[in-house]
Amino acid sequence: MRINAVLLAAGQGTRMRSKLPKVLHPLLGKPMIHYAVEAAQQVTGQKPVVVVGHGAQAIQQALGDSARFVYQEPQLGTGHAVLQAEPLLKNEADFILVTYADMPLLTPDTLQLIINTQQQHSGPLTMLTVVADDPHGFGRIVRDEAGRVTAIVEEAQATPEQRAIRELNASVYCFEARWLWEMLPRIPISPKGEYYLTDLIGMAVADGLEVQSQGLADAQEGIGINNRLHLAEAEALMRKRINHQWMLNGVTIVDPSSTYIETSVHIGMDTTIWPNTFLQGATVVGEACNLGPNTIVRNSQLGDRCTVFASILECAVVEDEVDIGPYAHLRSGTHLGRGVHIGNFGETKNSSLGPGTKMGHFSYIGDATIGPNVNIGAGTITCNFDGRQKNPTEIGEGAFIGSDTMLVAPVKIGVGARTGAGAVVTRDVPENTLAVGVPARAIRKLEKRG
Ligand code: UD1
Ligand code: CA
């Protein structure tokens, strides 16, 4: 069985009141169209065909090669939109799944259900219906006395009785491809000058063919985003869905309504997440960690048994049993070895700190390579930028950097060396040597520690 999907995204989405095309508005960190593309790809195993028009270039750019594109200009309705995909798909697929790019909550399971129903029946199409209290804006499902679908009537054309119908067209269909391509050009033009895909249902019935329908159990899955209210609603539902899954997988989420986990994140068992915590991008969290409250972890990896309290991590790699915060900022290129401690108001960038190293208070460490078991005193700063370029700092194992030391890079502090409080280090300090003052000078050799 060959199947592919067509996703409609040519409309302007005027109700968003935005310069950004509607389907590019982000939902939990990525443009909403990605969800439809991923779900379609998952059930068909193929890159879906996206019908673009308004904002075509931006949409193509956002999706890259995760989809194929056809251009619809002018936009003459949903039937006309699907027809644009015929040249690409005519000889490629026996079944065509059609849906919209603005329905991010639709799950692959639901798409699969539609496909399965279609394959088990001989009719030309299966469609998804949803029962909702507020039918406003939807096509109504019309059935005969025997309960068979006879038509979808668009709101503008509906009689007062039809308007009262609560079973609605969710706009997800699986078509037999040959029938679809044959019938699309025969759709009559509507009074509004559009070719409605929904007219195909009445046309099938008129030809004596059976139309299958599949009800959507969870109506919220069928939310189509037309304005920013819908966007917020969908975001909350998506968040809830993700959080539920993690809780079932063994993660404690203290307050799910204020916990923001993107779909791309992975979290280990027995980790606890406190309120107002954001886990974003390609973030991986190990087991038995404690994150938050008030924490952002973006594109970072954390090992097991780490604590991050009221801090921000961006593109950082953190090994097991690291303790961070409050108010620490780990920036891109930070690597913390096992058992590192970063305390209040610490900032690191493009630096690695060896296992057991402690940086308790008010420090900036940039472009530095720091060995294991180093003590970085309060207020220590790597002066890594000389106005033209960034320069490296190296600190050897077991060194003790006194409070308020300025490390004027490029500079090396030897293994077991010490700096006095307030030292301004402009030259390398040899191993096991104490350097003090401004500028710092070596004053004596230290006894090696066992
Ligand atoms: C459509 C259905 C309606 C259904 C509702 C569910 C039709 C005629 N009606 O109505 O039965 O209940 O969705 O949300 O299909 N698009 C194009 N090209 C076009 C026109 C539309 O790509 O020429 C795209 C739009 O970008 C949008 C989608 O198709 O994503 C829906 O179009 P819209 O005109 O908003 O249809 P609805 O009025 O929502
Ligand atoms: Ca719509």
mmCIF file of all heavy atoms in Angstrom, residues 7-13 15 22-23 51-53 72 74-82 100-103 137-140 152-154 168-171 173 194-199 222 224 226, ligand 1:
data_model
loop_
_atom_site.group_PDB
_atom_site.id
_atom_site.type_symbol
_atom_site.label_atom_id
_atom_site.label_comp_id
_atom_site.label_asym_id
_atom_site.label_seq_id
_atom_site.Cartn_x
_atom_site.Cartn_y
_atom_site.Cartn_z
ATOM 1 N N LEU A 7 -0.751 18.377 3.055
ATOM 2 C CA LEU A 7 -1.083 19.308 4.144
ATOM 3 C C LEU A 7 -1.374 20.680 3.542
ATOM 4 O O LEU A 7 -0.544 21.220 2.805
ATOM 5 C CB LEU A 7 0.084 19.431 5.123
ATOM 6 C CG LEU A 7 0.606 18.140 5.749
ATOM 7 C CD1 LEU A 7 1.798 18.434 6.643
ATOM 8 C CD2 LEU A 7 -0.496 17.449 6.529
ATOM 9 N N LEU A 8 -2.530 21.236 3.863
ATOM 10 C CA LEU A 8 -2.898 22.535 3.298
ATOM 11 C C LEU A 8 -2.386 23.675 4.171
ATOM 12 O O LEU A 8 -2.636 23.699 5.369
ATOM 13 C CB LEU A 8 -4.416 22.644 3.154
ATOM 14 C CG LEU A 8 -5.104 21.522 2.376
ATOM 15 C CD1 LEU A 8 -6.540 21.904 2.067
ATOM 16 C CD2 LEU A 8 -4.360 21.173 1.098
ATOM 17 N N ALA A 9 -1.669 24.588 3.526
ATOM 18 C CA ALA A 9 -1.091 25.718 4.274
ATOM 19 C C ALA A 9 -0.964 26.962 3.411
ATOM 20 O O ALA A 9 -0.076 27.777 3.608
ATOM 21 C CB ALA A 9 0.279 25.326 4.814
ATOM 22 N N ALA A 10 -1.864 27.115 2.436
ATOM 23 C CA ALA A 10 -1.719 28.245 1.516
ATOM 24 C C ALA A 10 -2.450 29.496 1.996
ATOM 25 O O ALA A 10 -2.189 30.590 1.514
ATOM 26 C CB ALA A 10 -2.210 27.852 0.128
ATOM 27 N N GLY A 11 -3.353 29.308 2.943
ATOM 28 C CA GLY A 11 -4.160 30.447 3.384
ATOM 29 C C GLY A 11 -3.339 31.483 4.131
ATOM 30 O O GLY A 11 -2.225 31.213 4.585
ATOM 31 N N GLN A 12 -3.927 32.672 4.283
ATOM 32 C CA GLN A 12 -3.169 33.770 4.871
ATOM 33 C C GLN A 12 -3.178 33.737 6.398
ATOM 34 O O GLN A 12 -2.232 34.178 7.034
ATOM 35 C CB GLN A 12 -3.762 35.097 4.395
ATOM 36 C CG GLN A 12 -2.877 36.277 4.738
ATOM 37 C CD GLN A 12 -3.258 37.520 3.977
ATOM 38 O OE1 GLN A 12 -4.347 37.606 3.412
ATOM 39 N NE2 GLN A 12 -2.375 38.493 3.963
ATOM 40 N N GLY A 13 -4.265 33.200 6.951
ATOM 41 C CA GLY A 13 -4.359 33.193 8.412
ATOM 42 C C GLY A 13 -4.522 34.599 8.947
ATOM 43 O O GLY A 13 -3.877 34.980 9.928
ATOM 44 N N ARG A 15 -6.579 36.065 10.745
ATOM 45 C CA ARG A 15 -7.015 36.307 12.117
ATOM 46 C C ARG A 15 -5.879 36.265 13.142
ATOM 47 O O ARG A 15 -6.057 36.629 14.292
ATOM 48 C CB ARG A 15 -8.120 35.314 12.495
ATOM 49 C CG ARG A 15 -9.460 35.704 11.906
ATOM 50 C CD ARG A 15 -10.480 34.601 12.027
ATOM 51 N NE ARG A 15 -10.197 33.506 11.109
ATOM 52 C CZ ARG A 15 -10.881 32.373 11.075
ATOM 53 N NH1 ARG A 15 -11.857 32.171 11.931
ATOM 54 N NH2 ARG A 15 -10.576 31.436 10.198
ATOM 55 N N LYS A 22 0.729 32.184 9.503
ATOM 56 C CA LYS A 22 0.084 31.534 10.644
ATOM 57 C C LYS A 22 0.776 30.241 11.075
ATOM 58 O O LYS A 22 1.041 30.029 12.265
ATOM 59 C CB LYS A 22 -1.379 31.240 10.307
ATOM 60 C CG LYS A 22 -2.088 30.469 11.394
ATOM 61 C CD LYS A 22 -3.573 30.350 11.148
ATOM 62 C CE LYS A 22 -3.894 29.215 10.218
ATOM 63 N NZ LYS A 22 -5.352 28.994 10.117
ATOM 64 N N VAL A 23 1.057 29.378 10.096
ATOM 65 C CA VAL A 23 1.566 28.049 10.457
ATOM 66 C C VAL A 23 3.005 28.081 10.969
ATOM 67 O O VAL A 23 3.548 27.065 11.387
ATOM 68 C CB VAL A 23 1.447 27.047 9.289
ATOM 69 C CG1 VAL A 23 -0.013 26.833 8.949
ATOM 70 C CG2 VAL A 23 2.258 27.502 8.086
ATOM 71 N N VAL A 51 0.961 22.260 0.635
ATOM 72 C CA VAL A 51 0.457 23.227 -0.340
ATOM 73 C C VAL A 51 0.675 24.614 0.247
ATOM 74 O O VAL A 51 0.118 24.951 1.291
ATOM 75 C CB VAL A 51 -1.042 23.003 -0.627
ATOM 76 C CG1 VAL A 51 -1.531 24.006 -1.672
ATOM 77 C CG2 VAL A 51 -1.296 21.568 -1.077
ATOM 78 N N VAL A 52 1.524 25.408 -0.409
ATOM 79 C CA VAL A 52 1.853 26.738 0.115
ATOM 80 C C VAL A 52 1.380 27.825 -0.828
ATOM 81 O O VAL A 52 1.199 27.593 -2.034
ATOM 82 C CB VAL A 52 3.377 26.893 0.370
ATOM 83 C CG1 VAL A 52 3.821 26.081 1.559
ATOM 84 C CG2 VAL A 52 4.188 26.522 -0.865
ATOM 85 N N GLY A 53 1.165 29.015 -0.299
ATOM 86 C CA GLY A 53 0.731 30.176 -1.077
ATOM 87 C C GLY A 53 1.227 31.421 -0.362
ATOM 88 O O GLY A 53 2.363 31.840 -0.538
ATOM 89 N N GLN A 72 0.166 27.105 -4.588
ATOM 90 C CA GLN A 72 -1.206 27.370 -4.998
ATOM 91 C C GLN A 72 -1.426 28.877 -5.119
ATOM 92 O O GLN A 72 -1.388 29.600 -4.138
ATOM 93 C CB GLN A 72 -2.210 26.798 -3.982
ATOM 94 C CG GLN A 72 -3.656 26.949 -4.437
ATOM 95 C CD GLN A 72 -4.655 26.820 -3.292
ATOM 96 O OE1 GLN A 72 -4.307 26.963 -2.126
ATOM 97 N NE2 GLN A 72 -5.902 26.547 -3.627
ATOM 98 N N PRO A 74 -3.955 31.506 -7.737
ATOM 99 C CA PRO A 74 -4.571 32.032 -6.520
ATOM 100 C C PRO A 74 -5.144 30.920 -5.647
ATOM 101 O O PRO A 74 -5.213 29.781 -6.086
ATOM 102 C CB PRO A 74 -5.698 32.904 -7.080
ATOM 103 C CG PRO A 74 -6.086 32.240 -8.360
ATOM 104 C CD PRO A 74 -4.814 31.643 -8.921
ATOM 105 N N GLN A 75 -5.535 31.275 -4.425
ATOM 106 C CA GLN A 75 -6.118 30.295 -3.510
ATOM 107 C C GLN A 75 -7.623 30.187 -3.735
ATOM 108 O O GLN A 75 -8.386 31.016 -3.280
ATOM 109 C CB GLN A 75 -5.826 30.682 -2.057
ATOM 110 C CG GLN A 75 -4.416 30.327 -1.635
ATOM 111 C CD GLN A 75 -3.478 31.501 -1.663
ATOM 112 O OE1 GLN A 75 -3.843 32.599 -1.272
ATOM 113 N NE2 GLN A 75 -2.263 31.291 -2.119
ATOM 114 N N LEU A 76 -7.990 29.149 -4.455
ATOM 115 C CA LEU A 76 -9.399 29.004 -4.838
ATOM 116 C C LEU A 76 -10.122 27.943 -4.026
ATOM 117 O O LEU A 76 -11.043 27.312 -4.522
ATOM 118 C CB LEU A 76 -9.497 28.689 -6.337
ATOM 119 C CG LEU A 76 -8.951 29.777 -7.274
ATOM 120 C CD1 LEU A 76 -9.051 29.354 -8.734
ATOM 121 C CD2 LEU A 76 -9.696 31.094 -7.055
ATOM 122 N N GLY A 77 -9.692 27.725 -2.808
ATOM 123 C CA GLY A 77 -10.422 26.806 -1.937
ATOM 124 C C GLY A 77 -9.681 25.506 -1.664
ATOM 125 O O GLY A 77 -8.676 25.187 -2.311
ATOM 126 N N THR A 78 -10.211 24.763 -0.706
ATOM 127 C CA THR A 78 -9.508 23.568 -0.227
ATOM 128 C C THR A 78 -9.444 22.449 -1.277
ATOM 129 O O THR A 78 -8.461 21.714 -1.352
ATOM 130 C CB THR A 78 -10.165 23.040 1.062
ATOM 131 O OG1 THR A 78 -11.586 22.971 0.879
ATOM 132 C CG2 THR A 78 -9.876 23.946 2.232
ATOM 133 N N GLY A 79 -10.500 22.361 -2.115
ATOM 134 C CA GLY A 79 -10.483 21.351 -3.190
ATOM 135 C C GLY A 79 -9.410 21.684 -4.215
ATOM 136 O O GLY A 79 -8.613 20.833 -4.639
ATOM 137 N N HIS A 80 -9.365 22.932 -4.599
ATOM 138 C CA HIS A 80 -8.363 23.433 -5.540
ATOM 139 C C HIS A 80 -6.944 23.263 -4.970
ATOM 140 O O HIS A 80 -6.006 22.937 -5.701
ATOM 141 C CB HIS A 80 -8.676 24.909 -5.815
ATOM 142 C CG HIS A 80 -7.707 25.605 -6.719
ATOM 143 N ND1 HIS A 80 -6.770 26.499 -6.250
ATOM 144 C CD2 HIS A 80 -7.529 25.542 -8.056
ATOM 145 C CE1 HIS A 80 -6.060 26.961 -7.274
ATOM 146 N NE2 HIS A 80 -6.500 26.395 -8.379
ATOM 147 N N ALA A 81 -6.832 23.444 -3.660
ATOM 148 C CA ALA A 81 -5.518 23.304 -3.019
ATOM 149 C C ALA A 81 -4.994 21.869 -3.147
ATOM 150 O O ALA A 81 -3.835 21.651 -3.527
ATOM 151 C CB ALA A 81 -5.611 23.700 -1.540
ATOM 152 N N VAL A 82 -5.848 20.899 -2.859
ATOM 153 C CA VAL A 82 -5.412 19.497 -2.936
ATOM 154 C C VAL A 82 -5.035 19.139 -4.379
ATOM 155 O O VAL A 82 -4.059 18.422 -4.627
ATOM 156 C CB VAL A 82 -6.509 18.541 -2.401
ATOM 157 C CG1 VAL A 82 -6.078 17.093 -2.569
ATOM 158 C CG2 VAL A 82 -6.787 18.828 -0.928
ATOM 159 N N TYR A 100 -4.800 19.661 7.530
ATOM 160 C CA TYR A 100 -4.325 21.036 7.545
ATOM 161 C C TYR A 100 -3.038 21.164 8.357
ATOM 162 O O TYR A 100 -2.807 20.424 9.300
ATOM 163 C CB TYR A 100 -5.352 21.964 8.190
ATOM 164 C CG TYR A 100 -6.654 22.070 7.473
ATOM 165 C CD1 TYR A 100 -7.766 22.585 8.122
ATOM 166 C CD2 TYR A 100 -6.783 21.681 6.141
ATOM 167 C CE1 TYR A 100 -8.981 22.703 7.482
ATOM 168 C CE2 TYR A 100 -7.996 21.792 5.492
ATOM 169 C CZ TYR A 100 -9.094 22.297 6.173
ATOM 170 O OH TYR A 100 -10.295 22.407 5.546
ATOM 171 N N ALA A 101 -2.285 22.183 8.015
ATOM 172 C CA ALA A 101 -1.039 22.437 8.721
ATOM 173 C C ALA A 101 -1.261 23.174 10.041
ATOM 174 O O ALA A 101 -0.327 23.364 10.810
ATOM 175 C CB ALA A 101 -0.111 23.251 7.832
ATOM 176 N N ASP A 102 -2.504 23.567 10.304
ATOM 177 C CA ASP A 102 -2.757 24.342 11.531
ATOM 178 C C ASP A 102 -3.498 23.513 12.580
ATOM 179 O O ASP A 102 -4.249 24.042 13.385
ATOM 180 C CB ASP A 102 -3.530 25.625 11.198
ATOM 181 C CG ASP A 102 -4.922 25.347 10.649
ATOM 182 O OD1 ASP A 102 -5.274 24.164 10.468
ATOM 183 O OD2 ASP A 102 -5.659 26.318 10.402
ATOM 184 N N MET A 103 -3.317 22.189 12.523
ATOM 185 C CA MET A 103 -3.926 21.316 13.538
ATOM 186 C C MET A 103 -2.833 20.530 14.264
ATOM 187 O O MET A 103 -2.677 19.330 14.074
ATOM 188 C CB MET A 103 -4.917 20.368 12.873
ATOM 189 C CG MET A 103 -6.081 21.094 12.233
ATOM 190 S SD MET A 103 -7.106 19.994 11.262
ATOM 191 C CE MET A 103 -7.920 19.079 12.558
ATOM 192 N N GLY A 137 -18.193 27.944 12.509
ATOM 193 C CA GLY A 137 -17.106 27.942 11.534
ATOM 194 C C GLY A 137 -16.827 26.593 10.887
ATOM 195 O O GLY A 137 -16.036 26.512 9.946
ATOM 196 N N PHE A 138 -17.474 25.552 11.378
ATOM 197 C CA PHE A 138 -17.188 24.219 10.851
ATOM 198 C C PHE A 138 -18.220 23.788 9.810
ATOM 199 O O PHE A 138 -19.363 24.230 9.833
ATOM 200 C CB PHE A 138 -17.224 23.189 11.991
ATOM 201 C CG PHE A 138 -16.003 23.192 12.844
ATOM 202 C CD1 PHE A 138 -15.879 24.079 13.896
ATOM 203 C CD2 PHE A 138 -14.973 22.294 12.589
ATOM 204 C CE1 PHE A 138 -14.749 24.074 14.690
ATOM 205 C CE2 PHE A 138 -13.849 22.285 13.387
ATOM 206 C CZ PHE A 138 -13.732 23.185 14.442
ATOM 207 N N GLY A 139 -17.809 22.856 8.960
ATOM 208 C CA GLY A 139 -18.743 22.186 8.068
ATOM 209 C C GLY A 139 -19.534 21.176 8.892
ATOM 210 O O GLY A 139 -18.983 20.503 9.760
ATOM 211 N N ARG A 140 -20.860 21.103 8.647
ATOM 212 C CA ARG A 140 -21.725 20.177 9.404
ATOM 213 C C ARG A 140 -21.846 18.846 8.671
ATOM 214 O O ARG A 140 -21.974 18.815 7.440
ATOM 215 C CB ARG A 140 -23.130 20.766 9.578
ATOM 216 C CG ARG A 140 -23.171 22.229 10.057
ATOM 217 C CD ARG A 140 -22.565 22.401 11.439
ATOM 218 N NE ARG A 140 -23.093 23.582 12.100
ATOM 219 C CZ ARG A 140 -22.599 24.808 12.024
ATOM 220 N NH1 ARG A 140 -21.505 25.034 11.321
ATOM 221 N NH2 ARG A 140 -23.165 25.820 12.671
ATOM 222 N N ILE A 152 -21.305 17.055 3.546
ATOM 223 C CA ILE A 152 -20.807 18.066 4.478
ATOM 224 C C ILE A 152 -21.336 19.394 3.955
ATOM 225 O O ILE A 152 -21.144 19.729 2.777
ATOM 226 C CB ILE A 152 -19.267 18.116 4.520
ATOM 227 C CG1 ILE A 152 -18.696 16.782 5.015
ATOM 228 C CG2 ILE A 152 -18.810 19.259 5.412
ATOM 229 C CD1 ILE A 152 -17.182 16.733 5.024
ATOM 230 N N VAL A 153 -22.004 20.099 4.820
ATOM 231 C CA VAL A 153 -22.529 21.401 4.396
ATOM 232 C C VAL A 153 -21.741 22.494 5.106
ATOM 233 O O VAL A 153 -21.639 22.503 6.338
ATOM 234 C CB VAL A 153 -24.033 21.520 4.734
ATOM 235 C CG1 VAL A 153 -24.562 22.876 4.291
ATOM 236 C CG2 VAL A 153 -24.810 20.409 4.063
ATOM 237 N N GLU A 154 -21.174 23.396 4.338
ATOM 238 C CA GLU A 154 -20.414 24.493 4.933
ATOM 239 C C GLU A 154 -21.373 25.462 5.611
ATOM 240 O O GLU A 154 -22.525 25.627 5.174
ATOM 241 C CB GLU A 154 -19.597 25.204 3.854
ATOM 242 C CG GLU A 154 -18.426 24.370 3.341
ATOM 243 C CD GLU A 154 -17.535 23.843 4.455
ATOM 244 O OE1 GLU A 154 -17.099 24.636 5.294
ATOM 245 O OE2 GLU A 154 -17.295 22.622 4.496
ATOM 246 N N LEU A 168 -19.281 17.601 13.421
ATOM 247 C CA LEU A 168 -18.586 18.532 12.532
ATOM 248 C C LEU A 168 -17.451 17.870 11.761
ATOM 249 O O LEU A 168 -16.927 16.821 12.160
ATOM 250 C CB LEU A 168 -18.011 19.679 13.381
ATOM 251 C CG LEU A 168 -19.001 20.292 14.376
ATOM 252 C CD1 LEU A 168 -18.276 21.228 15.317
ATOM 253 C CD2 LEU A 168 -20.137 20.992 13.641
ATOM 254 N N ASN A 169 -17.094 18.540 10.662
ATOM 255 C CA ASN A 169 -15.992 18.047 9.844
ATOM 256 C C ASN A 169 -14.662 18.533 10.421
ATOM 257 O O ASN A 169 -14.399 19.727 10.472
ATOM 258 C CB ASN A 169 -16.164 18.569 8.412
ATOM 259 C CG ASN A 169 -14.965 18.257 7.549
ATOM 260 O OD1 ASN A 169 -14.264 17.272 7.773
ATOM 261 N ND2 ASN A 169 -14.735 19.101 6.545
ATOM 262 N N ALA A 170 -13.828 17.615 10.835
ATOM 263 C CA ALA A 170 -12.545 17.997 11.426
ATOM 264 C C ALA A 170 -11.489 18.277 10.358
ATOM 265 O O ALA A 170 -10.397 18.757 10.660
ATOM 266 C CB ALA A 170 -12.050 16.896 12.349
ATOM 267 N N SER A 171 -11.823 17.957 9.098
ATOM 268 C CA SER A 171 -10.892 18.181 7.987
ATOM 269 C C SER A 171 -9.660 17.283 8.024
ATOM 270 O O SER A 171 -8.524 17.743 7.881
ATOM 271 C CB SER A 171 -10.464 19.645 7.912
ATOM 272 O OG SER A 171 -11.532 20.401 7.414
ATOM 273 N N TYR A 173 -8.902 13.583 6.128
ATOM 274 C CA TYR A 173 -9.514 12.606 5.239
ATOM 275 C C TYR A 173 -8.467 11.637 4.725
ATOM 276 O O TYR A 173 -7.308 12.008 4.524
ATOM 277 C CB TYR A 173 -10.118 13.275 3.996
ATOM 278 C CG TYR A 173 -10.825 14.584 4.212
ATOM 279 C CD1 TYR A 173 -10.102 15.783 4.289
ATOM 280 C CD2 TYR A 173 -12.209 14.642 4.303
ATOM 281 C CE1 TYR A 173 -10.749 16.999 4.456
ATOM 282 C CE2 TYR A 173 -12.866 15.858 4.471
ATOM 283 C CZ TYR A 173 -12.133 17.035 4.551
ATOM 284 O OH TYR A 173 -12.774 18.233 4.707
ATOM 285 N N GLU A 194 -15.205 29.504 -4.591
ATOM 286 C CA GLU A 194 -14.164 28.558 -4.182
ATOM 287 C C GLU A 194 -14.563 27.133 -4.541
ATOM 288 O O GLU A 194 -15.736 26.824 -4.742
ATOM 289 C CB GLU A 194 -13.962 28.647 -2.662
ATOM 290 C CG GLU A 194 -13.288 29.929 -2.219
ATOM 291 C CD GLU A 194 -12.815 29.859 -0.772
ATOM 292 O OE1 GLU A 194 -12.823 28.767 -0.194
ATOM 293 O OE2 GLU A 194 -12.444 30.916 -0.243
ATOM 294 N N TYR A 195 -13.570 26.274 -4.612
ATOM 295 C CA TYR A 195 -13.828 24.850 -4.821
ATOM 296 C C TYR A 195 -13.624 24.136 -3.493
ATOM 297 O O TYR A 195 -12.494 24.028 -3.006
ATOM 298 C CB TYR A 195 -12.874 24.292 -5.893
ATOM 299 C CG TYR A 195 -13.071 24.978 -7.226
ATOM 300 C CD1 TYR A 195 -12.310 26.108 -7.567
ATOM 301 C CD2 TYR A 195 -14.021 24.522 -8.129
ATOM 302 C CE1 TYR A 195 -12.502 26.767 -8.769
ATOM 303 C CE2 TYR A 195 -14.228 25.172 -9.345
ATOM 304 C CZ TYR A 195 -13.464 26.302 -9.652
ATOM 305 O OH TYR A 195 -13.657 26.950 -10.846
ATOM 306 N N TYR A 196 -14.746 23.696 -2.904
ATOM 307 C CA TYR A 196 -14.698 23.088 -1.579
ATOM 308 C C TYR A 196 -14.373 21.605 -1.651
ATOM 309 O O TYR A 196 -15.082 20.840 -2.287
ATOM 310 C CB TYR A 196 -16.051 23.238 -0.861
ATOM 311 C CG TYR A 196 -16.426 24.646 -0.488
ATOM 312 C CD1 TYR A 196 -17.764 24.998 -0.334
ATOM 313 C CD2 TYR A 196 -15.462 25.619 -0.252
ATOM 314 C CE1 TYR A 196 -18.135 26.285 0.028
ATOM 315 C CE2 TYR A 196 -15.825 26.901 0.110
ATOM 316 C CZ TYR A 196 -17.164 27.238 0.251
ATOM 317 O OH TYR A 196 -17.521 28.510 0.610
ATOM 318 N N LEU A 197 -13.337 21.224 -0.942
ATOM 319 C CA LEU A 197 -12.990 19.803 -0.849
ATOM 320 C C LEU A 197 -14.172 19.006 -0.277
ATOM 321 O O LEU A 197 -14.417 17.855 -0.653
ATOM 322 C CB LEU A 197 -11.774 19.656 0.078
ATOM 323 C CG LEU A 197 -11.172 18.261 0.225
ATOM 324 C CD1 LEU A 197 -10.599 17.770 -1.095
ATOM 325 C CD2 LEU A 197 -10.093 18.258 1.306
ATOM 326 N N THR A 198 -14.910 19.665 0.599
ATOM 327 C CA THR A 198 -16.017 19.000 1.292
ATOM 328 C C THR A 198 -17.148 18.596 0.349
ATOM 329 O O THR A 198 -17.951 17.731 0.690
ATOM 330 C CB THR A 198 -16.567 19.936 2.382
ATOM 331 O OG1 THR A 198 -16.690 21.249 1.836
ATOM 332 C CG2 THR A 198 -15.621 19.991 3.552
ATOM 333 N N ASP A 199 -17.204 19.207 -0.838
ATOM 334 C CA ASP A 199 -18.241 18.819 -1.807
ATOM 335 C C ASP A 199 -18.056 17.387 -2.293
ATOM 336 O O ASP A 199 -18.983 16.772 -2.809
ATOM 337 C CB ASP A 199 -18.234 19.778 -3.005
ATOM 338 C CG ASP A 199 -18.948 21.088 -2.687
ATOM 339 O OD1 ASP A 199 -19.562 21.171 -1.598
ATOM 340 O OD2 ASP A 199 -18.887 22.016 -3.509
ATOM 341 N N GLY A 222 -8.779 18.026 17.643
ATOM 342 C CA GLY A 222 -9.198 18.613 16.371
ATOM 343 C C GLY A 222 -9.088 20.127 16.317
ATOM 344 O O GLY A 222 -9.488 20.738 15.342
ATOM 345 N N GLY A 224 -8.224 23.583 15.405
ATOM 346 C CA GLY A 224 -7.502 24.259 14.324
ATOM 347 C C GLY A 224 -7.183 25.655 14.821
ATOM 348 O O GLY A 224 -8.018 26.300 15.446
ATOM 349 N N ASN A 226 -6.736 29.410 14.505
ATOM 350 C CA ASN A 226 -7.064 30.544 13.636
ATOM 351 C C ASN A 226 -6.610 31.875 14.206
ATOM 352 O O ASN A 226 -6.386 32.816 13.466
ATOM 353 C CB ASN A 226 -8.575 30.605 13.398
ATOM 354 C CG ASN A 226 -9.054 29.419 12.581
ATOM 355 O OD1 ASN A 226 -8.352 28.946 11.684
ATOM 356 N ND2 ASN A 226 -10.226 28.923 12.900
HETATM 357 C C1 UD1 B 1 -12.737 23.886 6.467
HETATM 358 C C2 UD1 B 1 -13.782 22.899 5.951
HETATM 359 C C3 UD1 B 1 -14.842 22.686 7.001
HETATM 360 C C4 UD1 B 1 -14.180 22.209 8.274
HETATM 361 C C5 UD1 B 1 -13.117 23.195 8.744
HETATM 362 C C6 UD1 B 1 -12.373 22.633 9.920
HETATM 363 C C7 UD1 B 1 -13.794 23.224 3.538
HETATM 364 C C8 UD1 B 1 -14.517 23.857 2.396
HETATM 365 N N1 UD1 B 1 -14.338 23.441 4.733
HETATM 366 O O1 UD1 B 1 -13.381 25.145 6.639
HETATM 367 O O2 UD1 B 1 -15.803 21.739 6.540
HETATM 368 O O3 UD1 B 1 -15.163 22.011 9.290
HETATM 369 O O4 UD1 B 1 -12.182 23.412 7.685
HETATM 370 O O5 UD1 B 1 -11.383 23.520 10.326
HETATM 371 O O6 UD1 B 1 -12.805 22.573 3.341
HETATM 372 N N2 UD1 B 1 -6.391 26.519 2.272
HETATM 373 C C9 UD1 B 1 -5.528 26.446 1.205
HETATM 374 N N3 UD1 B 1 -5.922 26.918 0.010
HETATM 375 C C10 UD1 B 1 -7.150 27.477 -0.193
HETATM 376 C C11 UD1 B 1 -8.026 27.543 0.903
HETATM 377 C C12 UD1 B 1 -7.635 27.057 2.129
HETATM 378 O O7 UD1 B 1 -4.414 25.953 1.334
HETATM 379 O O8 UD1 B 1 -7.418 27.879 -1.324
HETATM 380 C C13 UD1 B 1 -5.969 26.026 3.573
HETATM 381 C C14 UD1 B 1 -5.862 27.133 4.586
HETATM 382 O O9 UD1 B 1 -4.522 27.588 4.701
HETATM 383 C C15 UD1 B 1 -6.299 26.462 5.870
HETATM 384 C C16 UD1 B 1 -7.199 25.331 5.423
HETATM 385 O O10 UD1 B 1 -6.959 25.142 4.052
HETATM 386 O O11 UD1 B 1 -5.213 25.892 6.564
HETATM 387 C C17 UD1 B 1 -8.661 25.594 5.715
HETATM 388 O O12 UD1 B 1 -9.169 26.602 4.909
HETATM 389 P P1 UD1 B 1 -10.377 27.505 5.351
HETATM 390 O O13 UD1 B 1 -10.779 28.310 4.173
HETATM 391 O O14 UD1 B 1 -10.048 28.216 6.594
HETATM 392 O O15 UD1 B 1 -11.518 26.442 5.640
HETATM 393 P P2 UD1 B 1 -12.541 26.514 6.818
HETATM 394 O O16 UD1 B 1 -13.483 27.631 6.585
HETATM 395 O O17 UD1 B 1 -11.824 26.478 8.096
#
